[in-house]
Amino acid sequence: MRRLLDRFDRAFFAEAPAERLAIVRLLVGGFALVYLCVRAVHLQRVGHLPPEGFRPVGVISVLSAPLPLWAVRGLIGAAIAAGAAFVAGFKFRVAGPLFGALLLWVLSYRNSWGMVFHTENLLVLHVIALGLAAAADAYSLDARRAGALSTSAPPPAPHGRYGWPLRLLCAITVTSYFIAGVAKLRNSGLDWALSDILRNYVAHDNVRKIALGDTHSPLGGALVRYGFLFPPLALASLAMELCAPLALFSRRIAVVFCGAAWLFHLGVLLTMAILFPYPLLGIAFAGFFELEKMRDLRRPRRAAPG
């Protein structure tokens, strides 16, 4: 058991450069901030809805009645301000946890008025994890201010405190996909991959959207005519989800998993017009890659002497 714990400690708390974690903070936080700004008007509209439609979920369950409109708008504004500080790395010890808490509250409050947007879950969990980590020790206003106080201070050395948040982000990501795979098995068993369940989902989703005048997928409507296509696609998606935890143990498997997950979301978009922007932009998988090395690739190489 001691050896097993030592191996887990070395793997989970493996050293990583501060720059890698900071780049992930910029990507994840930047996406969350833009997402909030783009949806701000939509998020505050729930303040105009009849109180009878209020069905609190998650952390919003502490409320017995809807918030007044001024409070809804104030919390959204506070979340955007905290998000800007999160991205800039300003007063991050406060701004990091605060942005995670406000993002969770604002999006949960919107989900308490009808359809729950599962596309937001992974983003919120990633922001919370980063907000509790030392993710602003590089590429941040905090780091710049610290450098101004000591001009001779070297950049932070690779350390486990920069590695564990990245591993945690990866673990959260693969767990979310694994849970989706288990849910498919619990609801449908192996029939998910051996029958027309996926085909029926695609057909039903597009017919419903056509009836409601919503955006649908002409490609999905065309493909349901060919039933033989869907069992292999269903099996591939199920295999990707159930095997997702293996990505934590091998860099090569991680690359394959990220590519397969990205293709899965592309297929969902093309066949059902359902957009998962966070993984489709690749940001959901940023923790798996050594992003700081991209900076070195942009630097021009010096010609060899002679």
Side-chain angles (χ1 to χ4, degrees):
M1 180 62 68
R2 180 59 180 269
R3 291 181 179 179
L4 182 62
L5 291 175
D6 288 342
R7 291 182 63 183
F8 173 82
D9 184 75
R10 289 195 300 269
F12 194 81
F13 295 95
E15 292 184 351
E19 293 90 339
R20 185 184 307 171
L21 182 59
I23 293 172
V24 174
R25 182 199 88 238
L26 290 170
L27 290 173
V28 175
F31 179 91
L33 179 59
V34 171
Y35 186 82
L36 274 180
C37 292
V38 170
R39 291 181 56 82
V41 174
H42 174 76
L43 292 171
Q44 64 88 31
R45 283 178 180 168
V46 298
H48 300 281
L49 296 177
E52 295 79 15
F54 183 59
R55 298 291 186 272
V57 298
V59 295
I60 310 301
S61 299
V62 299
L63 298 179
S64 58
L67 295 173
L69 180 59
W70 64 265
V72 174
R73 290 175 173 172
L75 287 166
I76 294 171
I80 291 174
F86 183 101
V87 175
F90 178 70
K91 302 289 186 182
F92 193 78
R93 289 187 178 182
V94 175
L98 180 61
F99 182 48
L102 286 172
L103 183 67
L104 174 63
W105 181 274
V106 167
L107 296 183
S108 297
Y109 191 78
R110 164 59 187 87
N111 290 341
S112 298
W113 293 87
M115 179 180 177
V116 176
F117 288 84
H118 298 289
T119 55
E120 301 167 342
N121 294 347
L122 188 58
L123 171 64
V124 174
L125 290 173
H126 280 182
V127 169
I128 292 174
L130 288 169
L132 298 175
D137 285 4
Y139 303 144
S140 68
L141 293 179
D142 286 350
R144 180 173 296 183
R145 292 173 63 196
L149 296 175
S150 177
T151 56
S152 61
H159 196 278
R161 66 175 174 270
Y162 306 126
W164 74 258
L166 296 169
R167 297 295 290 173
L168 179 58
L169 260 63
C170 294
I172 292 172
T173 300
V174 300
T175 300
S176 68
Y177 285 91
F178 181 75
I179 290 174
V182 171
K184 289 183 175 66
L185 289 180
R186 291 186 62 183
N187 292 331
S188 307
L190 289 178
D191 285 344
W192 170 263
L194 302 176
S195 67
D196 284 337
I197 292 178
L198 177 59
R199 181 188 182 192
N200 293 337
Y201 268 120
V202 173
H204 176 268
D205 183 79
N206 283 291
V207 169
R208 179 182 61 84
K209 289 175 178 175
I210 292 173
L212 296 174
D214 200 356
T215 302
H216 68 284
S217 169
L219 177 62
L223 289 179
V224 294
R225 303 173 184 174
Y226 308 98
F228 67 91
L229 293 175
F230 290 89
L233 292 175
L235 179 61
S237 67
L238 185 62
M240 179 273 293
E241 291 168 340
L242 294 179
C243 295
L246 297 177
L248 297 175
F249 304 99
S250 168
R251 188 174 299 276
R252 291 183 178 179
I253 295 178
V255 172
V256 173
F257 161 72
C258 293
W262 186 85
L263 288 173
F264 165 78
H265 289 292
L266 179 62
V268 171
L269 176 62
L270 294 178
T271 58
M272 292 190 285
I274 299 176
L275 176 63
F276 287 77
Y278 189 53
L280 268 176
L281 289 174
I283 301 175
F285 313 113
F288 286 99
F289 299 96
E290 298 175 346
L291 298 176
E292 77 283 357
K293 293 185 177 180
M294 297 176 61
R295 174 196 58 190
D296 300 330
L297 294 176
R298 295 198 303 267
R299 292 178 177 175
R301 295 183 179 180
R302 296 181 179 179

